[in-house]
Each structure stands twice: as C-alpha cells, then as structure tokens.
Amino acid sequence: MAERERRLTPPFGGVFVARTRVMTSDDTERAVWRMAHEILERNHGIDDVLLVGLQTGGVPLARNLADALERIEEGASVVVGTLDVAFYRDDIGLRPVLPEATTDIPYDLTGRTVVLVDDVLFTGRTIRAALDALTDFGRPRAVQLAVMVDRGHRELPIRPDYVGKNLPTRRDEVVNVGPDGVDLGEMVK
Amino acid sequence: MKHLLSVADLDADDFEELFRLSDSFAEVSARRIPKVPALRGRTVVSLFFEDSTRTRLSFETAAKRLGADTMTFSVASSSMRKGESVRDTIETIDAMGVDAMVVRHGSAGVPQRITDWTDVSVVNAGDGWHEHPTQALLDAYTLRGRFGSLAGRRVAIVGDIAHSRVARSNVVAFSTLGAEVILVAPATLLPPSLDGWPVKVTEDLDGVIDSVDVLYLLRMQRERMTEHLVPSLREYSRRFGLDHARADRLRDGAVVLHPGPMNRGVEIAGDVVDRAELAVVDQVRNGVAVRMAVLWSMLGAGTDLVAEPDEQQGAQQ
Amino acid sequence: MTNTETTTRGAVVIRGGLVVDRTGERRADVAVSADGCIAEVAAEIDPHGAPVLDAAGCVVAPGFVDLHTHLRQPGKEEAETIESGAWCAVTGGYTAVVAMPNTTPPIDSAAVVREVLELGRAALCDVYTTGAITEGRAGERLAPLAEMADLGVRMFTDDGTGVQDDRLMRRAFEYARGLGVTLAQHCEVDALAAGGHMHEGEWSARLGIPGQPAESEDLMVARDLLLAERTGAPAHFQHLSTARSVAMVREAKARGLAVTAEATTHHFTLTHAACASYDPVFKVNPPLRTDEDVAAVRAGLADGTIDVIATDHAPHTQESKELPFDQAPPGMLGLETALALALTELDLPLVRLVELLSSRPAEIGRMADRHGGPIAAGRPANLCVFDPQTRWTVEPAKSRSRSRNIPYAGREVRGRVRHTLVDGRPVLVDGELRP
C-alpha cells in the first residue's frame, strides 16, 4: 500500500531500497498454504467465510489464499472482496491520505465470517479502520485477521489470527511484500 | 487543493485525480450505508446568497456522506438587503470555526473575493455569469463514464452562452480534457469577445448535430426576451431546441446533457425528455460523488501537509 | 525650513529648483512676498532671513489644477469632505480643484453652489465647483445655469452621467454659449451602457461581468461634437477613454472646433485586465479599457488632442468597495498619485506635463488669473515643488483621503511632491501638511 502516496506527495516521496530478503517466494507460498489450512481448521470448513483483501497490498494475498482454499476444499468457491479504508483512517489531516482503489464487498456480511487479509501488520491502525468500515456492510458473525508479516510495534489492541511470519523490526524500517517474496529495507529520498 | 474557484485552475491531471476520487465516492454512495467518516469533525457551511436548492442539496449530501457537519446560510435574494456586507457575513461564520465554505452568489467573483477575507477553503458553487466548476466537473465525469475519455470528442454547447456560468466552466473543462468544443448560438447569446476561447462557433445546429458526440443544452432564461436577445422563445426553440427530428439525427451513442432545470418545450421538446440519449439523471447522481471528491480533496486528502518522516514511515504499512 | 514661522502667509524663498511653466524651464529661485504673490524669479535670491523652501533637484511648477474632483460634500461626508479632499489635493501638488456636482443634494442651484464655495474657503486649496446642466442631474430640465454662473461657476456638467436627451443637450449648448460658460460632458449613452460594470470585451467575457461597450462613449462624443459645431458653444469632454473618441476629438480640433478634452491618470495607466481580481477598486466609469485604448489616450496626451490630465478623484468608503463587483460604486482616488503616474507612465517633456496638469486646466476652468502660471513676478504664488526622481511605493493606507480606494497599491512610481504653496502660503512642506 501507499506506493501511490509516496509518488504523489513530494514531502514523503522516496524509493524503497531492500536490504535483506526475509522470505523467498517459496517461503510465502508455503505460508499461504499453511494459513489456508489454519483458516479451514478454525472455521470447520469454508462455508460462510468471506475473504476481504485490504487495498492494495492485501488483495493479492487474499486471492492467493482463496486459490489455496479452493485447491484444498475441492469444489468450494471462495469469495474475495476488497476494501479501501482510506476514508476510515484516523490519521486524516495528519498525513496525505488518498484512496487506493475501489471497495467491492459483494454482499451483506451479516451472519458471515470475514477474514480480513493484509500484507503487513504494523501499528494496527489500518485494521482498526477496516473494522469500522466493515460495520457499514452488515454485522459479521466474526472477523478474523490474516497477514503475511507481523512486524510488531502495535499501537492498538489488535492481534492477527493467521500469520505468515513474525518479523522483529526497527520502527524506521520498511517491510515490502511483493510477488518475489518479502524484503526488509528502508525508504530513501 | 485549497479552493475550487475556477475550472481554469485545474489541469488534466487534476481532473483525472478528482475523477478517480469520484469513482471511490460513487462506490460509497452505492452502499447500503452510503457514508464514510472521512471528514468527521469537519464543518462545511453552504452560503447561498442566491437560491439553488438542487446545488445546495447536492453539496450538503456530499458533505454528510463524508461524515462532515453541515450548516446552511441561505439568503433568499429578497430578504438580504442589496448591499449588505458579504464580508461581515463571512467574518461572522469564520469566527464560528468552519472548515469550508460552499458559496453561491448572483455576482461574479464573490467566491474569489471571499478567499481574501477567510483562511478556510472556498468552493465556488456558482457566481453570476462567471463559473460553476462543480457542474463542469460532474458533466465531464458523466461523459467520462460514457466515453472513457473526452479526448477527440466533439461537444456542441447550445444556447445562451453569454449569461451562463455553466458554459464558461464547461468550455474550459471540456477543452482541457481534449474535446473539441463548438458553441451553437446567435451572436446575441455569445459573449462579447471569444478571444482566447478554444472554441468554434456556429449558428446552425442542424449543420453540426449529426457530427457531435455530446449535445449540451443550456437553460434559456425567459427574462432574456426583454433584452432583445432573441425575438421569442418560439423562434429560439425552432432554431436551437432539440426536437425528435433533430434527436433522430444524433449519432449512435451520442449523449445529451442539460444542467437543469429544463424548460420543456424550449431547449428540449417535452416528449424528447425520455429518450435514451439524455444523461440528466446520471448528472444528478454524479453530482454528489464529484462534490464528495472536491470536499475530500480540500479537507481530507491532506496532500499539502508536511509530516515528520518517521511518523510517515510508521503509517505507511 | 530655516524658520519656524512657516504656517502663516509670509515671505518665502524657494531655492535651488528648476522653474518649469509653459514658457519653458530655467534654473531659478522664486521669492514670494507677504501679499501671496511672486515677488521675484531670479537665478540667485538672497533670502535675507526669510524662510527658505529647499527645492534642490526639484521642479518648481505652477500648482496643478484638477478639473474633475469628487469631493462628496454635501451628502457623503463619510467618503470625503471638502477639507479632506483638499488635503489630498495639496499632497498631490494641486492648488485648485473643481468639484463635480453629483453630491446629495446635487449642485444644481445657487444655494448648493454657495454652500460648497463657502466650505471651500476654509480648505487648504482653492475649491471651484461645477454646476449641474440639468435639475437634479436628472436629464429632464435645464438647471438655472445663469444663477450659478453669477456665483462664479464656469463649467457645467451632469458628471456621473451624461445628458441623454439630444434636444435638451442642444438647448443647453445654445443657452450656455450666451453665458460664456463651458459645458463638460460625461459621455455615456445609458441605453448601451446600462447594466454594465466594466469595459465590454475579452475580459468581461471571461470574467462573466456585464460590459459597457466603447460605443456608449463614442456615440455621445460624436453627438456632442455635432451639437457643439452647430451651436458654436465650447464643449469639454471629460475622461475620454476610448481610441475612437480620442480620434474624433482630434479630427474635430483639426477642423477648428472649440472643443477641449481631458483624460484621467487611470485611463493611461490601467487596462480592463485589472478587473480579473474582481476587486471593485478597479471599477470606474468610464471603465478601464484595452491596451489599444490606453495607447490612444497616451498619444492624445502627447499630440495635444487631449488638453488636460484630470484625476476623477472619486472617494468611496471601504464598505461600499467591498461589495460584489457588480454592486460596488465606480470610482477611484487620484489626487495624490496623478503626478507620479504621469511622470512614470508618460514619456513627456516637463513643459508639456505642466501644461496638462496646470496651465490648460486653469484656462479651461477660467481661473488662469490665479492658477496655471506663468511663474513670474506679480502672479499669485500658487506653486508646487516636486522631485521628479524620487521613487516610492503607493500605500493606500497612507492616503489623506477619508477613503482608501486607490488602485495602485504596491506599485512603484517615480516623482513626489515636496512643497505646495497656495497664495504664497506653504500648505505642504516636505510632504507634511501645514494647515
């Protein structure tokens, strides 16, 4: 997320420079596979479970999880929604906030289990915004959280249910989740 | 974006950014609960020195859907003594602590002057014959929805250009977005000078109607009859009105727009109103999304903010 | 000054200046005697202990005469009074102003003329007044011109508006001729200009402000030229602003008509593009026009088609100038900035400038016995001393007017008045009023 903001807003602009590869693409694939099993185990199947990827980093991960789920549960069809939390953030007015992409929640969430999916869990504020946003689409029976990387530094009482990797980081580092794997680095102006 | 006073202040990229935002807000507007807390705690005041229920409702709906509080300062032209100080009004409202003023005034330039008297954001919601930028934005957004892009499209704007803030804003908006603009009007309804206007001009609607992608009909005000601008509404309607015969000659896929409210039987024949080419309902619906985009750009996007770099790092994930 | 006794009339010597009047320019000192007249003009005058006004590097000119001043009294004292208008006048080097009749009540009778002249006697400079051509400036019946002429009124105008009725104007010319007075016209055909608030053209089109076409001025100039020719009465054209009217006046003068014309400082300085700010400080009537019109006005000033630089000093309160452009009253201040704008904007010889600002307006206003030079022994000492090189920045807040509607805020100009003497009395010394 936020690549566009970095580009669009000069005071914050910068380029991500990777320093260490912390997960290869094989690692992330195995993590997806494991998390898919955990989701099935926890929810006793996939019925009434909806994956919602957070724009934009969470969306590809949500699709990968859905693929894995459908391969494990033959014949199952997993619905993936997308959610942009820009308008729900609590830092509006403190930093540039631009919506990344559209929200697409295909049906009423009332009574369903929603698995929020994001690439990196950091302060928890994005997830807080997402929880707020979800209430505008119904009253889910339960909301769970899946992330590829939990890098710590939480500022809110939020914890993930499914984690690809727990990664201790410094606050000023940046975690980048891409198709080739996960890198740790920093932003360079 | 601090203010929106004139379409001329926007370049093609600004339009695209506002359109992209409008897409997001169109989606919000389609939700079961069409409201986001993006501007919670902000106050938007609509200052309508001239009545326009449609525009005011559209702005107030937009503000409310963004979670902002709204206040209305509505002055029927009859009750506000001519010559009462706009500045006093502005300074009073400013002192109440608001974040944006949406201003409609019968005199050109008032929104621009108001920016000298307050630090809050000002949106021009129509000033005299000058401009109506959000109308132009929603028209261009509506056309983008139909055509994808306005580049290379032919747009005919028909009618009373001289006294139309909608025409002034749309000429600039459409041409900025790459459309070819043709003004169709008798000389009495054209501005006294078109120097610097990127337009072609004709008096012959029938000569262009089968070659345009967009037919934009302006509202013909009845009071123009007393100013020797056209002999009669009947004659105006015959030369510049859209009837079935003309509508049949429109290209496939051509769109007819009107800023509303329509004078049936003048700009447009009564039974043409229901034809598929008319995109007036789209215009109204898009009006809210576009105005949400404008208010958000001014009050929420925060692209003019400067924050500490480490704070920023923290918020990026 | 070397003597503190400067505020009363007394012998004064102006030393070290370049004396410029319509007869030419020469380095000379000017001695003023206690009776308010010029005693001596000579290369070196020993003051013998009399107070000295320093004029080194400065021009000593006959005091300026403004044929077109709105003093707003009676009726609009919150915008200007005769007293405050005169402060502005002497600040700008003027020793005489001619008040326009659009007061409340209008100056259209002996009673109001008397009132204005009475108030004018206490002012720092000479105050003359015009009278209205028609009763109430309503354009319907002739005002009592003779009654006002008996009190010394020598110019009549309905300024603020033109006399629309062709027949009435013809009669006015015929009647005025016999009285030996001049009719001055604000040329504007209402039928064309009504509802307009700026020059009709590129900028009015862009800004969405209703316009006044140039033809509304041209038509009335053409009519009055025809009527003046027919009646043989002297006609004075106020604030010419269009290229066409300048051309028509030029042609009429070439044919020998007894017509004169004035142009304002703003019409040779500003164009309609200034209205893009929507700030009514740029709203004026006739409106600011095009680059071509400005060029024509400048050419007219250079070749003598236009006789006079006038200010059309028109004070308006801050509140009224904060109204929307189409509701605000037209008009701008001018007395304090006229000389500087003429020096900055016009590339004219000093002798010609003095003619435009002093000698010609004094003749047209029939006050050449007191104003307009020449600077010679025995003449009334109505003088101004200005430094043509001083650069300064216009700051409306520093105006001595009761109003602030100066459209040149922040503009750097050249030339500043140092001293003004009215009847030998220094009323402005080094830029400071000595009331």
Side-chain angles (χ1 to χ4, degrees):
Chain A
M1 180 168 165
E3 259 322 307
R4 235 182 99 259
E5 287 170 15
R6 283 177 203 138
R7 277 203 319 277
L8 281 171
T9 56
F12 308 97
V15 181
F16 174 75
V17 174
R19 189 161 30 78
T20 321
R21 169 138 299 180
V22 291
M23 290 176 88
T24 65
S25 57
D26 285 348
D27 293 337
T28 56
E29 207 171 299
R30 278 191 285 272
V32 166
W33 194 247
R34 172 173 53 76
M35 283 194 281
H37 278 96
E38 288 172 5
I39 291 169
L40 285 171
E41 187 183 353
R42 170 94 168 261
N43 294 296
H44 311 291
I46 196 67
D47 295 344
D48 285 338
V49 173
L50 171 75
L51 301 189
V52 173
L54 296 188
Q55 294 280 17
T56 53
V59 175
L61 179 56
R63 296 202 203 288
N64 291 345
L65 276 172
D67 286 349
L69 287 167
E70 286 173 358
R71 269 189 286 149
I72 297 164
E73 289 279 287
E74 278 193 33
S77 166
V78 181
V79 177
V80 178
T82 61
L83 182 62
D84 182 354
V85 301
F87 306 129
Y88 295 83
R89 301 192 67 106
D90 62 3
D91 50 3
I92 286 170
L94 297 178
R95 66 181 203 100
V97 175
L98 294 165
E100 290 294 318
T102 49
T103 294
D104 178 23
I105 306 282
Y107 43 69
D108 193 340
L109 302 179
T110 305
R112 296 172 192 275
T113 297
V114 173
V115 180
L116 284 176
V117 184
D118 205 356
D119 51 357
V120 179
L121 178 61
F122 186 23
T123 62
R125 289 180 188 271
T126 303
I127 303 304
R128 202 260 338 133
L131 290 170
D132 261 11
L134 282 184
T135 62
D136 287 350
F137 294 89
R139 182 182 180 279
R141 194 179 61 77
V143 181
Q144 299 163 1
L145 175 60
V147 297
M148 180 54 75
V149 174
D150 180 354
R151 57 170 294 192
H153 303 286
R154 210 79 74 245
E155 293 169 3
L156 294 169
I158 283 170
R159 61 163 185 80
D161 300 276
Y162 316 104
V163 183
K165 185 178 178 69
N166 282 298
L167 181 66
T169 58
R170 287 200 322 271
R171 222 190 137 78
D172 60 347
E173 289 173 312
V174 172
V175 177
N176 193 58
V177 178
D180 301 333
V182 178
D183 295 313
L184 191 60
E186 43 265 313
M187 299 301 292
V188 175
K189 297 249 173 189
Chain B
M1 186 162 76
K2 170 76 177 174
H3 305 296
L4 179 60
L5 302 174
S6 163
V7 170
D9 299 336
L10 304 174
D11 62 21
D13 289 342
D14 297 328
F15 274 102
E16 197 41 51
E17 184 63 31
L18 285 168
F19 291 160
R20 230 182 42 77
L21 281 167
S22 302
D23 286 340
S24 291
F25 289 118
E27 181 272 319
V28 168
S29 293
R31 291 182 195 171
R32 198 167 58 86
I33 301 173
K35 184 167 177 162
V36 289
L39 296 184
R40 205 171 45 161
R42 304 303 190 98
T43 302
V44 176
V45 58
S46 37
L47 279 156
F48 276 56
F49 297 93
E50 175 186 88
D51 274 338
S52 172
T53 310
R54 292 165 180 239
T55 306
R56 186 171 56 76
L57 286 180
S58 180
F59 268 109
E60 288 177 1
T61 304
K64 286 184 199 308
R65 286 188 179 171
L66 289 167
D69 295 315
T70 57
M71 296 198 299
T72 307
F73 179 89
S74 188
V75 194
S77 38
S78 55
S79 73
M80 182 149 176
R81 191 161 45 82
K82 197 172 179 175
E84 187 163 327
S85 169
V86 173
R87 182 174 186 159
D88 285 352
T89 305
I90 296 304
E91 286 174 350
T92 303
I93 290 169
D94 197 40
M96 294 173 187
V98 302
D99 298 287
M101 297 186 188
V102 176
V103 181
R104 162 70 68 100
H105 201 289
S107 298
V110 169
Q112 183 177 323
R113 291 285 284 158
I114 286 175
T115 62
D116 294 336
W117 302 326
T118 176
D119 289 330
V120 310
S121 290
V122 175
V123 188
N124 181 358
D127 62 330
W129 303 345
H130 178 225
E131 281 227 36
H132 194 352
T134 57
Q135 178 75 41
L137 275 167
L138 76 90
D139 289 334
Y141 182 66
T142 301
L143 294 174
R144 173 182 174 269
R146 290 284 179 113
F147 297 119
S149 160
L150 270 175
R153 299 285 173 178
R154 275 165 77 90
V155 183
I157 301 178
V158 185
D160 186 1
I161 320 282
H163 308 95
S164 171
R165 51 182 162 236
V166 173
R168 270 184 187 73
S169 289
N170 273 333
V171 164
V172 178
F174 294 160
S175 55
T176 300
L177 294 169
E180 176 194 355
V181 181
I182 306 165
L183 304 181
V184 186
T188 49
L189 297 179
L190 287 173
S193 162
L194 290 171
D195 283 359
W197 294 45
V199 295
K200 293 178 185 162
V201 179
T202 178
E203 294 203 14
D204 181 12
L205 179 57
D206 292 312
V208 297
I209 196 158
D210 57 356
S211 69
V212 299
D213 300 293
V214 181
L215 193 65
Y216 199 107
L217 304 172
L218 295 171
R219 185 174 157 76
M220 186 65 198
Q221 311 257 354
R222 275 166 207 282
E223 60 261 32
R224 303 289 168 232
M225 295 311 112
T226 58
E227 296 166 19
H228 315 296
L229 298 176
V230 287
S232 68
L233 284 180
R234 208 173 88 92
E235 177 156 325
Y236 174 82
S237 184
R238 211 165 60 203
R239 294 186 68 195
F240 302 104
L242 183 66
D243 55 16
H244 269 299
R246 286 192 174 119
D248 288 341
R249 293 184 57 220
L250 284 167
R251 278 183 182 178
D252 284 349
V255 179
V256 177
L257 297 180
H258 189 291
M262 271 187 267
N263 291 316
R264 296 188 184 210
V266 182
E267 300 99 68
I268 190 159
D271 51 354
V272 177
V273 171
D274 304 320
R275 287 179 67 126
E277 293 91 346
L278 235 76
V280 174
V281 177
D282 294 358
Q283 284 175 286
V284 174
R285 187 173 45 234
N286 290 337
V288 174
V290 163
R291 287 173 177 123
M292 288 171 83
V294 168
L295 291 173
W296 165 262
S297 293
M298 293 192 314
L299 301 182
T303 43
D304 50 350
L305 294 166
V306 176
E308 292 304 310
D310 57 344
E311 225 176 278
Q312 168 61 11
Q313 288 283 331
Q316 293 237 326
Q317 302 292 336
Chain C
M1 301 291 294
T2 57
N3 190 308
T4 52
E5 192 59 32
T6 60
T7 55
T8 55
R9 185 180 293 183
V12 174
V13 176
I14 302 167
R15 284 187 73 175
L18 180 72
V19 171
V20 179
D21 59 20
R22 71 188 326 176
T23 67
E25 47 181 84
R26 58 227 173 257
R27 232 304 294 133
D29 294 349
V30 179
V32 176
S33 65
D35 65 357
C37 288
I38 295 170
E40 186 186 2
V41 181
E44 290 282 343
I45 296 175
D46 185 343
H48 292 298
V52 170
L53 285 172
D54 175 38
C58 292
V59 171
V60 181
F64 303 148
V65 174
D66 189 21
L67 283 187
H68 201 133
T69 314
H70 295 272
L71 293 172
R72 300 295 183 225
Q73 196 174 5
K76 271 259 172 66
E77 287 81 358
E78 70 274 21
E80 197 79 289
T81 60
I82 290 174
E83 180 186 42
S84 64
W87 293 342
C88 296
V90 299
T91 302
Y94 287 87
T95 53
V97 295
V98 181
M100 290 296 114
N102 57 337
T103 48
T104 314
I107 307 173
D108 66 348
S109 66
V112 189
V113 168
R114 261 189 222 103
E115 182 190 348
V116 170
L117 294 178
E118 183 59 38
L119 288 163
R121 268 189 273 284
L124 281 191
C125 67
D126 279 4
V127 175
Y128 296 80
T129 185
T130 54
I133 297 173
T134 67
E135 278 181 17
R137 297 172 50 251
E140 287 163 6
R141 281 185 305 275
L142 272 183
L145 305 189
E147 179 184 303
M148 292 187 274
D150 285 347
L151 295 170
V153 177
R154 290 294 173 265
M155 283 182 87
F156 291 87
T157 174
D158 276 2
D159 184 64
T161 182
V163 176
Q164 304 295 314
D165 187 312
D166 303 335
R167 189 173 63 162
L168 175 58
M169 195 60 207
R170 174 195 166 175
R171 298 304 180 209
F173 271 125
E174 288 169 344
Y175 193 71
R177 186 174 166 222
L179 297 173
V181 298
T182 299
L183 297 190
Q185 189 80 278
H186 165 119
C187 290
E188 179 182 6
V189 172
D190 289 347
L192 278 176
H197 301 282
M198 65 177 288
H199 174 68
E200 180 180 298
E202 182 188 345
W203 280 99
S204 73
R206 211 175 287 177
L207 298 172
I209 295 175
Q212 301 161 251
E215 289 75 16
S216 77
E217 175 171 324
D218 301 341
L219 267 177
M220 194 169 283
V221 170
R223 180 200 70 179
D224 280 10
L225 284 171
L226 293 172
L227 293 176
E229 183 163 13
R230 179 188 176 89
T231 60
H236 177 70
F237 293 95
Q238 297 178 293
H239 44 48
L240 287 188
S241 70
T242 73
R244 185 70 67 87
S245 24
V246 173
M248 287 189 287
V249 170
R250 179 178 293 122
E251 189 265 349
K253 283 187 162 190
R255 287 192 293 113
L257 257 64
V259 298
T260 54
E262 69 188 34
T264 68
T265 45
H266 45 272
H267 285 119
F268 65 68
T269 305
L270 300 169
T271 71
H272 56 163
C275 300
S277 65
Y278 288 105
D279 187 340
V281 78
F282 297 107
K283 180 174 176 177
V284 66
N285 197 17
L288 302 176
R289 301 204 190 263
T290 67
D291 288 322
E292 293 73 37
D293 294 312
V294 167
V297 167
R298 290 178 177 215
L301 287 163
D303 72 8
T305 300
I306 298 170
D307 303 83
V308 170
I309 292 173
T311 67
D312 198 358
H313 181 85
H316 289 292
T317 60
Q318 196 75 0
E319 303 92 85
S320 65
K321 280 293 192 180
E322 279 171 1
L323 290 170
F325 199 94
D326 59 4
Q327 293 174 22
M332 37 184 72
L333 301 186
L335 285 167
E336 295 159 295
T337 47
L339 170 74
L341 290 167
L343 283 166
T344 310
E345 298 294 328
L346 303 175
D347 190 21
L348 293 177
L350 284 170
V351 171
R352 175 70 187 140
L353 270 188
V354 167
E355 243 178 13
L356 286 164
L357 286 164
S358 180
S359 318
R360 284 298 284 146
E363 283 169 0
I364 294 165
R366 320 262 174 119
M367 56 180 92
D369 54 326
R370 293 189 36 75
H371 296 275
I375 297 178
R379 291 277 307 171
N382 291 310
L383 299 168
C384 76
V385 178
F386 62 89
D387 180 341
Q389 298 307 331
T390 306
R391 292 187 177 277
W392 57 290
T393 302
V394 180
E395 291 174 74
K398 291 191 174 167
S399 171
R400 288 181 170 129
S401 170
R402 289 202 166 185
S403 297
R404 293 289 175 268
N405 50 314
I406 296 178
Y408 311 108
R411 182 182 281 252
E412 188 177 287
V413 291
R414 179 170 64 80
R416 190 156 209 179
V417 176
R418 282 185 67 188
H419 317 304
T420 304
L421 290 84
V422 176
D423 275 333
R425 178 182 159 206
V427 291
L428 184 88
V429 175
D430 278 321
E432 296 300 321
L433 293 178
R434 297 294 169 93

